[in-house]
Amino acid sequence: DMYSHDGDTDEPEWVKTEREQFVEFRDKNRDGKMDKEETKDWILPSDYDHAEAEARHLVYESDQNKDGKLTKEEIVEKYDLFVGSQATDFGEALVRHDEF
């Protein structure tokens, strides 16, 4: 749905990659379409830790000196990122904890 050929016979690389992902990983029963369970596994994989991924994202985006630790200054510098994060309960944890 996201790609229209418009007379072009060569597919962009991202279309080829998505097609491979579909065939190899998403269409588990190989029927050419995604059923409810396949879609659920794609959107909410059971082996994916959302909290850990969000924490890693916050550290990656905020850790300016790349030492693997966040200082108060680094958190304040990226305050908008933390306030918009589910990991901080959308900023509520920042006011409930003295360490923040």
Side-chain angles (χ1 to χ4, degrees):
D1 290 347
M2 294 175 55
Y3 173 69
S4 173
H5 289 281
D6 290 333
D8 188 10
T9 56
D10 294 329
E11 291 182 330
E13 193 61 37
W14 69 268
V15 174
K16 293 175 186 175
T17 301
E18 285 302 313
R19 190 179 312 282
E20 289 170 7
Q21 289 289 316
F22 176 80
V23 171
E24 292 178 31
F25 302 108
R26 296 184 188 138
D27 186 20
K28 295 176 182 175
N29 64 7
R30 306 284 190 238
D31 68 351
K33 55 189 175 211
M34 288 176 63
D35 61 26
K36 184 177 178 179
E37 285 304 310
E38 290 167 335
T39 304
K40 180 181 164 191
D41 288 343
W42 173 49
I43 294 172
L44 296 169
S46 59
D47 60 344
Y48 184 76
D49 186 339
H50 293 276
E52 182 179 337
E54 179 63 8
R56 288 180 187 273
H57 167 70
L58 290 173
V59 172
Y60 177 81
E61 292 294 330
S62 304
D63 187 15
Q64 294 173 348
N65 62 3
K66 303 301 179 200
D67 66 351
K69 300 174 186 174
L70 295 180
T71 63
K72 181 178 179 179
E73 291 76 22
E74 288 172 326
I75 292 170
V76 170
E77 181 70 26
K78 295 288 186 164
Y79 184 79
D80 58 330
L81 188 67
F82 285 84
V83 170
S85 172
Q86 200 170 19
T88 64
D89 195 16
F90 301 101
E92 289 297 316
L94 300 176
V95 295
R96 287 194 312 257
H97 294 277
D98 291 339
E99 64 270 23
F100 290 129

